[in-house]
């Protein structure tokens, strides 16, 4: 969880009681993702999933400070790219929907490579359009 000053507060994962928090490497990852125009919810969600552990969306909300709709949007993007596995687990007590647990199915370096490819392709298109503008002008 993140407090008002932006510092990590340790919280506990509901499923395995292991403490979850973001360290300096996760904050650096988020900052670098933001610098290459990856939106904030996706950057924060990827940082939460980066250690390869299975984590619930509620835990992602608590650790990252994101709201539930922001986590859902990020998960949709990750699902569309086939970067995550989703597993449902029934609650141990009471009724209600099962808890969805998420885990990266692709190594982080592959995700970064895919983002790099997209940025390079987009940059080539921009440069091509600039060249066309030069010929017209």
């Amino acid at each position: 969880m993140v407090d008002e000053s932006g510092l990590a507060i340790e919280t506990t994962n509901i499923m395995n009681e292991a403490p979850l928090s973001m360290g300096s490497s996760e904050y650096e990852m988020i900052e670098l993702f933001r610098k290459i125009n990856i939106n904030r919810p996706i950057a924060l969600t990827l940082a939460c999933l980066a250690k390869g552990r299975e984590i619930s969306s509620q835990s992602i909300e608590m650790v990252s400070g994101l709201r539930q709709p922001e986590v859902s949007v990020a998960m949709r993007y990750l699902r569309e790219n086939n970067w995550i596995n989703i597993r449902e687990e029934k609650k141990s007590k009471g009724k209600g929907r099962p808890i969805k647990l998420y885990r990266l199915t692709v190594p982080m370096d592959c995700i970064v490579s895919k983002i790099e490819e997209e940025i390079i392709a987009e940059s080539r298109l921009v440069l091509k359009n600039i060249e066309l503008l030069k010929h017209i002008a």
Side-chain angles (χ1 to χ4, degrees):
M1 184 180 328
V2 180
D3 67 10
E4 294 93 29
S5 66
L7 297 174
I9 299 173
E10 205 168 85
T11 185
T12 303
N13 186 332
I14 299 164
M15 303 316 297
N16 60 14
E17 302 301 316
L20 293 173
S21 63
M22 281 200 215
S24 59
S25 62
E26 286 83 11
Y27 285 116
E28 184 177 6
M29 180 186 296
I30 293 163
E31 186 177 323
L32 291 169
F33 274 135
R34 296 295 294 132
K35 285 181 179 180
I36 60 171
N37 292 324
I38 300 298
N39 79 31
R40 183 177 165 272
I42 293 170
L44 286 161
T45 301
L46 281 170
C48 288
L49 293 165
K51 291 187 179 180
R53 293 171 47 178
E54 194 171 60
I55 186 171
S56 69
S57 59
Q58 185 178 22
S59 293
I60 292 171
E61 291 170 39
M62 292 186 329
V63 171
S64 67
L66 292 171
R67 296 173 297 127
Q68 186 277 325
E70 294 172 309
V71 174
S72 292
V73 167
M75 288 303 175
R76 184 177 321 118
Y77 173 82
L78 300 179
R79 245 188 350 262
E80 288 169 356
N81 283 286
N82 297 314
W83 292 343
I84 57 169
N85 180 49
I86 304 167
R87 183 175 70 84
E88 290 189 355
E89 188 170 284
K90 292 182 180 179
K91 293 181 180 179
S92 58
K93 295 179 182 177
K95 297 179 182 179
R97 293 182 178 176
I99 296 170
K100 287 187 178 182
L101 299 167
Y102 302 94
R103 178 185 299 243
L104 286 179
T105 57
V106 177
M108 191 57 78
D109 60 336
C110 292
I111 292 171
V112 172
S113 293
K114 175 69 172 157
I115 292 169
E116 178 186 28
E117 289 171 15
E118 291 172 0
I119 290 171
I120 289 170
E122 188 177 309
S123 296
R124 285 187 180 134
L125 181 60
V126 169
L127 290 172
K128 181 180 174 184
N129 289 333
I130 289 172
E131 287 301 316
L132 290 172
L133 283 170
K134 286 179 181 178
H135 290 294
I136 293 172

